[in-house]
Amino acid sequence: MASMTQTNQTQKVWTREEIESLAGRIIKWILIVFFAVITVFPFYWMLNLSLRPEQDVLTNPTKLFPSGEDISNTLHPVGCWLRYGTDDPEENPAVPADCTNVFSRSSYTIVLVQQGFPPFIGNSVLLALLTVSLTLLLAIPAAYAITRLTYQGRNAMSWGILLIYMFPAIVLAIPLFVVFTRTGLAGSLEGLVIVYLSGTLPVALYMLRSYFVTIPPDLEEAALIDGCTYASTIWRITIPLATPAIASVALYTFMIAWNEFLYAFLFLFTQRDRWTLPLGLQQLNDQEVPVTALMAGSLIISIPIIVIFFFFERFLTRGLTAGAVKG
Amino acid sequence: MDTVLNILLWAVIGALPGFYVFFVKLYDTRLGVLIGAVLGVLVGVVGTSIGLIASPISAIATIFGLLVVGLLLLPQSAYPDDQKDNQQRRLITAVIGFVLLLFLIVGLTSILPADFPISPGLITIAVIVLFLIYVVPRGDFDNQQSNAQRISNLAYALTLPTVLIVTGIVIFPVIWNVIFSLRDISVGDLRDVELFDLREITLDNFEAQGGFRFDAVPCEMDDSGTCILDEDGNITYVNPRRYFDDYRGYRETGAIDIGDTHYAIGVRNPEFYPMLIRTFMYTLVSSVLAIFFGLVAALVVREAFPGRAIFRGFLLFPYIAPVISVAFIWQVLLRQNGFVNGLLGTNTQFLSGNDTFLGVALPLVMVILFQTWRYFPFAFLFLLARIQAIPDDIYEAAKVDGATPIQRLLYVTLPQLRGVFGTLFLLRFIWTFNKFDDVYLLTGPIEQTKVIPVQIFESLFTEGNVGEASAVAVVMAGILAVTLLIYFRYFLVDEA
């Protein structure tokens, strides 16, 4: 009874625990806002600038939103392009008056039509898919061997490959450039895929290995005893069990191949028809294109990777931490 | 003397494939070396001197081809029965084999006529496939071998393609890089130059970048040979600039008197050492900042709040987006009439210009911020995984003992993260040190942000000096190796 009256009389005393956790909560929300802004804002800004006319971008550098008119002005030519494929009535008589000579007015049609980005998209997709499928094709059997089969040099092999992964890309670039020029592989996507494989295989192997060791080998052993061959054991047992890891390897490999710039620049520079998206975008900068088109291009190459990532974030996060992925 | 050297060289060149080929099939390496050496001398010395074989590379290809054909023609009875204990051999074999294979490919493509209908790329792939079939001993799986041996053969077969691609793309270029760094090669020479020519090796490329002199400079003398004194009675020295000009473009950077002697310091490339220091500084600061922000983000995400899943997705945006597009948006945000200047009401040149911040060139500060922004998600992922693995009872115990949130962070969480910090710092240091495209794409090749990889790229493409570019690459790999050794030896926290 006495203690109760005491509490009622004196003002509530804040303990250090309470002060700190209150402060912690405030700081936490400040930080959440801070991180959200610094991570999302640059991408929002790409969108914002790509939708506004260049003159507006130059005179109002801090304008936060495009007007509705700006948006429809930018998107209308894209619609024309999708419907008619051209803005020239002489090429396609069906082009109506409001679609005539509009491609230079929209940042997106400048990039997609006038600068000819669609082939680059095709090259990038092809390159990324080739890299992904070859990586999986080679890394899955290798990871199986490293985790499931005993042989001499097993540890040396897995650590050696990881060590090689640390090697500076630029140090390898000069000799590879020379060899590729000599062998005629320069300017070919197949050559570039081989170089990418040297970067993706070690990670893939490492990520798959750390997942395979968590799967108990009982099922595979049972299959082998029942007379399955190694090939069908890998195909029917190991691969289905390791689907999450394989998915994350596929995603990560896709990301490497999609984003890669240095080797694409070195090996494909002279062959414009084989350029990848990052290379095409970088070269855009050297020409007299408006900054809004640069932003549209940046957004076009970022969106696929961000969308894919958002759908499969869980896989990728797990894979990234498991494999000590390069960046 | 030259003839003797030539014969020796060719004997060694021939011995290598001889060793290899016999290693694979006969396991008699001495015989292989002998036959290979004889073949080497025959093909290399005789073949090239009578004009039968055009270049050393085609000679190497010929030697290799002859050995393989010779072995294929050998009768089965010539093979030894005893093939035990050959796993290691096969591994070494695979690696050496691939190196030799590349010799062969280069040789092959250099002797093919230019209008050959099949592309060299296809030939390369075909040769690799044939090689795999040849080396991977398929027949061995059904032989009367022990189970362990069959499994181990299978393992080599499964890992071989990966090992070949990875080592082939890495080991071979590294060897070449060292060779190039010792020779005077420019981009224009690449088509015709003999790749393995070691006759004119020199350290010029290294000197051209890192050349350094610390010389005692003589005084100006009169006709009688005594030093001339100026009005104050001090000795007049030969102008160091003029003095160093005699040494192939050395430039004087300073002078110092030690005792009675006047020393002048001269360097070949005054930008080289500042560049090394800049690279080091930028790598260190970016790595530490990225880890710091990654830690803060991980602590924020540790406990649930509304929208956490989406927030986690946002956090990885900078890391997953293509470097070229994020470099562009930074350029646009930071340009003179861009968003940041508009917000601050200033007119600063962030990515060029000579402004400094805390004594560091502003463009370099921006590059450091860019690296921090781009790679803190990487640290975040690692640290979050580790933080979430800390068992709750440790926190409960600390709470019972009266530890406040700050104390729990300092004395419970952070000590648990020491091991991850060690690994993270190592990874971030290496990768930032090696990073080329981020820096190059953000600011271009300007002096303020020139780091080693950018310098290599510039030497190669702007100056077309393959030799110097390779020399800088060798220096870079060396610095990295030494740093890592020191780190492993003295700093790495010993925890998984």
Side-chain angles (χ1 to χ4, degrees):
Chain A
M1 204 54 193
S3 67
M4 258 188 75
T5 24
Q6 219 172 22
T7 330
N8 287 341
Q9 281 167 356
T10 56
Q11 216 181 358
K12 185 178 186 306
V13 178
W14 286 67
T15 64
R16 196 175 152 188
E17 167 84 29
E18 284 166 332
I19 296 172
E20 280 184 14
S21 51
L22 179 69
R25 243 171 297 154
I26 295 170
I27 293 172
K28 181 175 152 182
W29 278 102
I30 294 173
L31 285 173
I32 288 173
V33 173
F34 167 75
F35 278 115
V37 168
I38 64 162
T39 51
V40 177
F41 181 76
F43 296 93
Y44 169 71
W45 208 246
M46 280 181 204
L47 179 69
N48 178 11
L49 294 197
S50 72
L51 290 174
R52 286 161 48 195
E54 199 194 6
Q55 198 48 47
D56 183 36
V57 167
L58 290 175
T59 45
N60 301 314
T62 52
K63 187 173 156 190
L64 283 177
F65 305 101
S67 67
E69 193 192 351
D70 291 341
I71 296 175
S72 59
N73 282 344
T74 311
L75 294 185
H76 176 67
V78 180
C80 294
W81 178 56
L82 291 177
R83 250 173 293 153
Y84 306 106
T86 173
D87 62 348
D88 186 355
E90 284 177 18
E91 275 179 47
N92 183 353
V95 173
D98 67 337
C99 275
T100 303
N101 297 329
V102 288
F103 284 175
S104 58
R105 288 184 213 156
S106 160
S107 57
Y108 288 91
T109 38
I110 289 179
V111 171
L112 288 171
V113 188
Q114 299 188 326
Q115 297 294 331
F117 259 45
F120 304 159
I121 299 178
N123 290 338
S124 270
V125 169
L126 180 69
L127 193 62
L129 291 182
L130 266 179
T131 311
V132 170
S133 43
L134 282 176
T135 303
L136 290 179
L137 193 71
L138 297 178
I140 292 175
Y144 178 84
I146 284 182
T147 45
R148 293 288 191 262
L149 305 174
T150 23
Y151 59 98
Q152 263 190 3
R154 181 165 82 156
N155 283 334
M157 195 182 284
S158 52
W159 285 112
I161 286 178
L162 204 63
L163 201 71
I164 278 171
Y165 188 48
M166 302 277 162
F167 236 86
I170 190 93
V171 171
L172 308 182
I174 306 168
L176 285 178
F177 180 68
V178 175
V179 176
F180 276 41
T181 317
R182 299 278 285 228
T183 53
L185 277 172
S188 74
L189 292 181
E190 61 208 272
L192 200 56
V193 168
I194 296 179
V195 178
Y196 285 180
L197 282 180
S198 77
T200 56
L201 281 175
V203 215
L205 206 57
Y206 191 66
M207 283 161 76
L208 289 174
R209 192 189 62 171
S210 27
Y211 196 83
F212 280 4
V213 290
T214 63
I215 310 175
D218 310 5
L219 269 178
E220 289 160 11
E221 278 162 17
L224 285 173
I225 290 167
D226 287 349
C228 271
T229 61
Y230 278 102
S232 72
T233 309
I234 294 178
W235 181 248
R236 287 164 195 229
I237 315 274
T238 315
I239 292 183
L241 282 178
T243 313
I246 292 172
S248 82
V249 169
L251 281 173
Y252 181 67
T253 315
F254 186 89
M255 189 176 107
I256 293 185
W258 184 267
N259 293 355
E260 208 282 334
F261 169 74
L262 172 62
Y263 286 126
F265 180 80
L266 284 184
F267 296 139
L268 301 178
F269 182 67
T270 49
Q271 309 262 334
R272 194 175 195 276
D273 55 328
R274 302 235 171 94
W275 282 4
T276 60
L277 277 175
L279 184 53
L281 185 60
Q282 196 258 350
Q283 291 303 311
L284 212 58
N285 198 16
D286 294 345
Q287 292 155 37
E288 296 286 312
V289 296
V291 67
T292 53
L294 277 186
M295 291 298 100
S298 301
L299 204 62
I300 288 170
I301 77 170
S302 305
I303 279 179
I305 200 83
I306 286 179
V307 168
I308 292 176
F309 170 80
F310 238 98
F311 275 106
F312 299 100
E313 189 240 331
R314 241 156 241 291
F315 286 141
L316 193 61
T317 312
R318 180 158 44 172
L320 287 168
T321 22
V325 153
K326 191 175 195 169
Chain B
M1 195 58 207
D2 267 4
T3 332
V4 178
L5 263 180
N6 212 6
I7 291 175
L8 268 178
L9 186 71
W10 277 107
V12 173
I13 289 173
L16 194 67
F19 174 84
Y20 168 67
V21 170
F22 277 70
F23 203 35
V24 181
K25 277 293 176 190
L26 288 179
Y27 309 109
D28 189 341
T29 48
R30 261 176 298 180
L31 186 65
V33 168
L34 198 69
I35 295 180
V38 173
L39 261 180
V41 174
L42 276 179
V43 175
V45 180
V46 182
T48 47
S49 66
I50 62 172
L52 193 66
I53 286 154
S55 75
I57 283 176
S58 30
I60 291 168
T62 315
I63 297 167
F64 193 78
L66 284 176
L67 281 166
V68 172
V69 171
L71 266 184
L72 290 177
L73 293 177
L74 264 185
Q76 277 295 317
S77 55
Y79 288 73
D81 304 327
D82 181 27
Q83 293 200 357
K84 67 175 174 8
D85 197 24
N86 56 13
Q87 289 97 327
Q88 263 176 325
R89 280 178 172 178
R90 283 184 199 284
L91 187 67
I92 304 169
T93 301
V95 175
I96 306 175
F98 194 66
V99 173
L100 285 168
L101 185 74
L102 286 181
F103 271 96
L104 181 67
I105 293 167
V106 175
L108 209 72
T109 45
S110 68
I111 51 177
L112 283 179
D115 53 353
F116 198 72
I118 308 169
S119 95
L122 275 178
I123 296 179
T124 310
I125 291 170
V127 173
I128 290 176
V129 169
L130 283 176
F131 177 76
L132 288 180
I133 296 168
Y134 173 69
V135 164
V136 176
R138 309 178 99 200
D140 288 356
F141 297 141
D142 337 298
N143 283 352
Q144 342 70 343
Q145 294 171 353
S146 74
N147 200 35
Q149 201 160 21
R150 276 186 26 236
I151 287 182
S152 126
N153 281 338
L154 174 69
Y156 290 128
L158 291 178
T159 47
L160 198 64
T162 302
V163 172
L164 288 187
I165 289 179
V166 173
T167 52
I169 294 285
V170 175
I171 291 177
F172 211 55
V174 167
I175 298 171
W176 249 335
N177 203 325
V178 175
I179 295 180
F180 287 162
S181 73
L182 296 171
R183 293 168 57 189
D184 180 20
I185 296 184
S186 67
V187 166
D189 302 332
L190 287 180
R191 279 256 161 225
D192 316 306
V193 79
E194 281 299 345
L195 295 174
F196 294 96
D197 191 352
L198 286 176
R199 280 169 305 183
E200 290 177 9
I201 59 171
T202 154
L203 288 174
D204 282 356
N205 293 319
F206 290 94
E207 196 191 353
Q209 289 292 331
F212 179 87
R213 292 194 77 95
F214 188 71
D215 286 1
V217 180
C219 59
E220 299 270 18
M221 278 178 275
D222 58 20
D223 296 336
S224 62
T226 44
C227 289
I228 301 170
L229 303 181
D230 64 10
E231 295 121 28
D232 303 331
N234 296 321
I235 303 171
T236 331
Y237 290 99
V238 172
N239 184 341
R241 188 161 299 146
R242 210 180 71 218
Y243 172 80
F244 279 121
D245 270 350
D246 298 338
Y247 286 104
R248 300 190 294 175
Y250 271 85
R251 272 185 267 177
E252 171 238 5
T253 58
I256 187 172
D257 283 307
I258 300 174
D260 288 340
T261 323
H262 184 74
Y263 290 96
I265 302 160
V267 293
R268 267 293 287 276
N269 177 3
E271 284 149 19
F272 184 71
Y273 291 101
M275 179 195 74
L276 294 190
I277 295 167
R278 181 185 309 128
T279 309
F280 229 84
M281 202 273 295
Y282 131 90
T283 307
L284 208 64
V285 177
S286 322
S287 310
V288 170
L289 283 180
I291 295 174
F292 173 76
F293 280 96
L295 173 69
V296 174
L299 290 173
V300 167
V301 173
R302 177 173 50 171
E303 283 152 40
F305 57 86
R308 180 169 75 156
I310 292 182
F311 181 68
R312 278 180 54 163
F314 285 166
L315 279 183
L316 300 190
F317 274 14
Y319 180 62
I320 56 163
V323 57
I324 179 77
S325 56
V326 288
F328 273 162
I329 187 65
W330 271 61
Q331 283 176 0
V332 171
L333 286 171
L334 293 173
R335 63 184 186 165
Q336 268 184 307
N337 58 346
F339 177 77
V340 176
N341 270 319
L343 206 64
L344 300 173
T346 51
N347 194 24
T348 316
Q349 284 181 297
F350 286 103
L351 295 175
S352 52
N354 295 317
D355 291 341
T356 58
F357 175 78
L358 299 176
V360 183
L362 202 52
L364 190 63
V365 174
M366 290 302 130
V367 168
I368 291 174
L369 285 183
F370 183 66
Q371 290 280 323
T372 307
W373 176 77
R374 206 161 129 67
Y375 296 108
F376 87 85
F378 178 83
F380 157 76
L381 283 174
F382 269 69
L383 290 166
L384 185 66
R386 185 70 189 87
I387 285 177
Q388 285 177 335
I390 300 174
D392 281 340
D393 24 330
I394 304 187
Y395 288 109
E396 293 301 326
K399 225 171 177 173
V400 170
D401 288 346
T404 65
I406 291 179
Q407 287 168 331
R408 291 204 291 271
L409 172 68
L410 289 181
Y411 302 116
V412 180
T413 314
L414 291 187
Q416 292 275 337
L417 298 178
R418 275 181 68 184
V420 192
F421 282 139
T423 318
L424 260 181
F425 182 75
L426 182 70
L427 293 177
R428 284 269 38 101
F429 188 90
I430 297 173
W431 289 334
T432 314
F433 194 80
N434 295 341
K435 202 83 210 170
F436 160 76
D437 35 10
D438 292 38
V439 186
Y440 184 81
L441 292 176
L442 185 65
T443 68
I446 59 169
E447 192 56 44
Q448 297 93 310
T449 62
K450 193 172 271 178
V451 288
I452 303 177
V454 177
Q455 167 73 49
I456 295 173
F457 187 86
E458 279 287 287
S459 299
L460 188 60
F461 282 94
T462 316
E463 298 154 29
N465 195 332
V466 178
E468 272 185 36
S470 306
V472 180
V474 169
V475 170
M476 172 170 158
I479 293 178
L480 193 62
V482 171
T483 315
L484 292 187
L485 274 181
I486 294 175
Y487 182 79
F488 278 121
R489 181 80 182 73
Y490 297 106
F491 293 103
L492 193 64
V493 183
D494 204 10
E495 191 200 325

